[in-house]
Amino acid sequence: MAREQALLSTEIVNRGVEPSGPDAGSPTFSVRVRRRLPDFLQSVNLKYVRLGYHYLISHGVYLATIPVIVLVCSAEVGSLSRNDLWRKVWGEATYDLATVLAFLAVLAFTISVYIMSRPRPVYLIDFACYKPADELKVSKAEFIDLARKSGKFDEDGLAFQSRLLAKSGIGDESYMPRCVFEPGTNCATMKEGRAEASAAMFAALDELFDKCHVRPKDVGVLVVNCSLFNPTPSLSAMIVNHYKMRGNILSYNLGGMGCSAGVIAVDLARDMLQASGAGLAVVVSTEAVSFTWYAGKRRSMLIPNAFFRAGCAAVLLSNRRRDFHRAKYQLEHIVRTHKGADDRSFRSVYQEEDEQRIKGLSISRDLVEVGGHALKTNITTLGPLVLPFSEQLLFFAGVLFRHLFPSKASTPPPPSANGDASAAAPYIPDFKRAFEHFCMHAASRDVLEHLQSNLGLRDGDLEASRAVLHRFGNTSSSSIWYELAYLEAKGRVRRGDRVWQLAFGSGFKCNSSVWRAVRRVRRPARSPWLDCVDQYPARMNA
């Protein structure tokens, strides 16, 4: 019971003056109880850390054997004078030339096999984010006005969506397809879906190919992800047909994988580049807002209406070594977490019909809690791969102590000399020492606030996420690329900087990708932020 109460937060809401009844004219209040993100860094389980250290230790044989070999060779060489060493080497080479040649051949073969067996690095050459036309902009007030004029909602549903918009963190310049507000029509049609998806994908791809000076026929791998709209032929086939790509292209279409599908698509493209040697891969991440639109009365299915907005990103990847000099980033790690085995996690984001058989996307009350557990698993797996050794040592020692001595770890810490009771709290890793930039999926303002609190981040660390949420809304799987575009437009990415992209979505999944800047990224000439980036972060705080 105590554990359940720890996941709840209360809020007193002023409901205004009672208009009628025996209490007419009196102010009324209500207490709202909400679930909050669990403090997952305070409850780390050892099994979540084990996988990350397995990745690290799997290559530890080189770290363990190389120093030993160097030490033995140094001891052997150190016992000989320079003349003795030269005489020994020259004598061996003179009287046993076959042995020396055999040794050199084995050494050359070993080095060649090692170099050939190593996976080639994957570079991000450039990316492009779709900026819809200005006529698709919709303010929060206009959103409610158009929804009312559409005749699809009652006053209770409109009031609920208005309250969601007010606390969503979304500004007045996000983009929506106008077909969702047309009275008496069903916007979730194949015609409208194809029109919305093609406008977003082709605009982003046109910009990408132009910026990178790449012909569509040069692309060997194409991965497209869109969660809810999956026509036949697929979206990837639409792209191949539009750009007349080559016939042996490896194309993939990912559907139903939620807002974290962008990282999954990058992971698949990386694997295909390593396996096929295709050279260039394009990843397209988008979502069809018209297929998330719900015109019923169930509140859990009205939530996506208030948050999801139009957006798309196209990314060009390469594993050709000659592309290193024109690439922006190198992919270092991808860590994927899937909680679909748990029923609550599986049902937390669920597409279904309501009582009137109106289709929509249902958001469970358990979403924040199950998302927190998925985040806990993901970051504790990622931690050993990216944290400095000092942070890893302190973190792992704390986790091991809590695992071996649970009774002592669960004992409330005594107050310290200065009255601070948190002095003996478990050590929380400082992820700011592992990354210079954070691109957290811009789901909602509440989720970002909980992430900042649990990860110990500063306001500036989540500036890009909050700016994207305010300017473009929740653009699903493409939001992490709008955030990276914001950092580039601000001119903050320098050579060697590490970028952490974190996204989560239905299933329930939480995925991370880590990029390292191979050069200083200058302010791009084309970006969705160029006309407004100087107004942030002031605008979202206004």
Side-chain angles (χ1 to χ4, degrees):
M1 186 66 180
R3 182 181 179 183
E4 181 69 18
Q5 291 178 353
L7 296 176
L8 302 177
S9 62
T10 58
E11 178 184 2
I12 299 177
V13 181
N14 185 354
R15 302 182 61 182
V17 179
E18 187 70 25
S20 60
D23 299 326
S26 302
T28 59
F29 300 87
S30 63
V31 178
R32 178 182 299 163
V33 180
R34 297 185 299 174
R35 288 185 177 270
R36 61 180 177 84
L37 197 69
D39 193 2
F40 46 85
L41 285 177
Q42 299 284 351
S43 59
V44 173
N45 194 307
L46 185 62
K47 67 179 181 180
Y48 300 139
V49 188
R50 192 178 303 147
L51 181 59
Y53 278 98
H54 169 72
Y55 293 154
L56 186 68
I57 299 302
S58 61
H59 301 286
V61 63
Y62 304 111
L63 301 177
T65 57
I66 291 177
V68 174
I69 295 174
V70 172
L71 183 61
V72 172
C73 293
S74 299
E76 179 68 22
V77 172
S79 63
L80 301 174
S81 64
R82 181 179 300 178
N83 293 333
D84 293 339
L85 179 62
W86 176 252
R87 189 181 301 110
K88 186 176 181 61
V89 173
W90 179 252
E92 292 291 338
T94 303
Y95 298 104
D96 198 357
L97 183 60
T99 302
V100 174
L101 293 177
F103 172 77
L104 293 176
V106 171
L107 181 62
F109 176 77
T110 304
I111 294 175
S112 300
V113 170
Y114 174 74
I115 294 175
M116 294 175 63
S117 62
R118 287 185 61 192
R120 287 188 177 185
V122 173
Y123 305 111
L124 191 160
I125 297 179
D126 211 335
F127 65 97
C129 295
Y130 167 59
K131 185 178 180 182
D134 287 343
E135 55 263 25
L136 298 182
K137 282 184 180 180
V138 57
S139 66
K140 288 178 285 190
E142 187 181 10
F143 180 100
I144 298 299
D145 184 56
L146 292 174
R148 178 179 284 109
K149 291 180 179 178
S150 69
K152 299 176 182 179
F153 306 98
D154 56 19
E155 287 301 319
D156 184 62
L158 291 170
F160 178 69
Q161 293 179 80
S162 179
R163 291 195 297 271
L164 290 176
L165 284 170
K167 62 180 182 180
S168 65
I170 300 176
D172 290 327
E173 292 185 324
S174 59
Y175 302 92
M176 291 282 292
R178 294 294 170 154
C179 65
V180 301
F181 298 116
E182 294 180 1
T185 60
N186 176 23
C187 61
T189 63
M190 285 294 175
K191 180 180 179 180
E192 295 291 349
R194 283 193 173 96
E196 180 185 352
S198 59
M201 294 190 306
F202 298 157
L205 286 168
D206 286 344
E207 180 180 338
L208 179 70
F209 291 142
D210 184 59
K211 289 167 65 173
C212 300
H213 306 289
V214 170
R215 300 180 306 165
K217 287 185 178 295
D218 296 332
V219 177
V221 177
L222 173 65
V223 183
V224 181
N225 68 270
C226 182
S227 187
L228 295 180
F229 179 56
N230 293 283
T232 300
S234 65
L235 296 178
S236 60
M238 289 171 55
I239 294 175
V240 172
N241 175 263
H242 179 80
Y243 290 100
K244 309 305 178 186
M245 292 179 164
R246 64 194 198 195
N248 63 342
I249 188 171
L250 303 176
S251 65
Y252 301 88
N253 199 90
L254 306 180
M257 306 192 79
C259 302
S260 66
V263 178
I264 299 175
V266 171
D267 190 24
L268 177 58
R270 176 189 64 174
D271 292 343
M272 291 301 101
L273 285 175
Q274 302 290 10
S276 65
L280 295 177
V282 167
V283 174
V284 180
S285 298
T286 188
E287 190 57 78
V289 178
S290 57
F291 272 70
T292 66
W293 191 255
Y294 171 70
K297 299 181 179 180
R298 189 189 294 183
R299 289 195 171 188
S300 63
M301 302 173 75
L302 287 170
I303 296 175
N305 288 3
F307 289 95
F308 284 105
R309 296 293 185 270
C312 178
V315 183
L316 181 63
L317 304 175
S318 172
N319 68 341
R320 301 183 304 193
R321 300 189 189 278
R322 66 175 181 268
D323 287 329
F324 171 80
H325 298 288
R326 66 170 182 151
K328 287 184 174 181
Y329 307 93
Q330 179 177 333
L331 181 61
E332 291 200 334
H333 303 289
I334 288 182
V335 174
R336 294 168 53 180
T337 300
H338 203 305
K339 290 290 186 178
D342 176 65
D343 291 339
R344 285 201 311 160
S345 299
F346 177 73
R347 299 277 307 189
S348 59
V349 182
Y350 201 82
Q351 189 180 19
E352 58 183 345
E353 295 87 10
D354 64 5
E355 295 77 9
Q356 285 76 39
R357 303 187 67 82
I358 301 176
K359 184 176 62 176
L361 195 64
S362 176
I363 307 297
S364 169
R365 293 181 178 180
D366 298 328
L367 177 64
V368 175
E369 182 183 350
V370 302
H373 292 303
L375 282 167
K376 176 180 66 175
T377 307
N378 190 268
I379 67 173
T380 50
T381 304
L382 179 68
L385 302 176
V386 298
L387 288 171
F389 182 74
S390 58
E391 292 291 319
Q392 293 188 44
L393 187 62
L394 292 171
F395 174 62
F396 186 70
V399 173
L400 191 61
F401 177 80
R402 292 169 65 84
H403 179 73
L404 297 177
F405 306 101
S407 58
K408 294 183 180 180
S410 60
T411 303
S416 60
N418 58 3
D420 185 8
S422 63
Y427 182 75
I428 300 176
D430 186 4
F431 280 91
K432 296 187 294 295
R433 296 189 61 188
F435 306 105
E436 284 73 32
H437 308 289
F438 299 83
C439 296
M440 306 291 182
H441 171 53
S444 69
R445 181 166 58 190
D446 288 343
V447 171
L448 292 178
E449 289 176 354
H450 286 307
L451 280 172
Q452 179 179 351
S453 175
N454 277 270
L455 293 174
L457 302 178
R458 302 168 298 230
D459 289 340
D461 295 327
L462 291 185
E463 179 185 324
S465 299
R466 290 193 173 99
V468 168
L469 183 63
H470 183 273
R471 176 63 179 85
F472 293 97
N474 184 347
T475 60
S476 188
S477 58
S478 63
S479 66
I480 55 178
W481 297 108
Y482 283 88
E483 293 164 19
L484 187 56
Y486 176 86
L487 295 172
E488 291 188 355
K490 285 285 188 179
R492 296 177 180 172
V493 183
R494 301 182 181 276
R495 181 178 180 181
D497 284 0
R498 294 153 297 183
V499 181
W500 180 16
Q501 292 181 323
L502 177 67
F504 42 91
S506 59
F508 191 86
K509 298 180 288 293
C510 177
N511 301 317
S512 293
S513 59
V514 179
W515 303 87
R516 181 182 293 274
V518 299
R519 58 181 172 88
R520 181 181 179 183
V521 180
R522 301 187 182 277
R523 187 169 181 171
R526 301 174 66 177
S527 170
W529 290 98
L530 291 185
D531 62 339
C532 61
V533 69
D534 295 330
Q535 303 172 21
Y536 284 88
R539 181 189 289 189
M540 60 187 180
N541 296 327

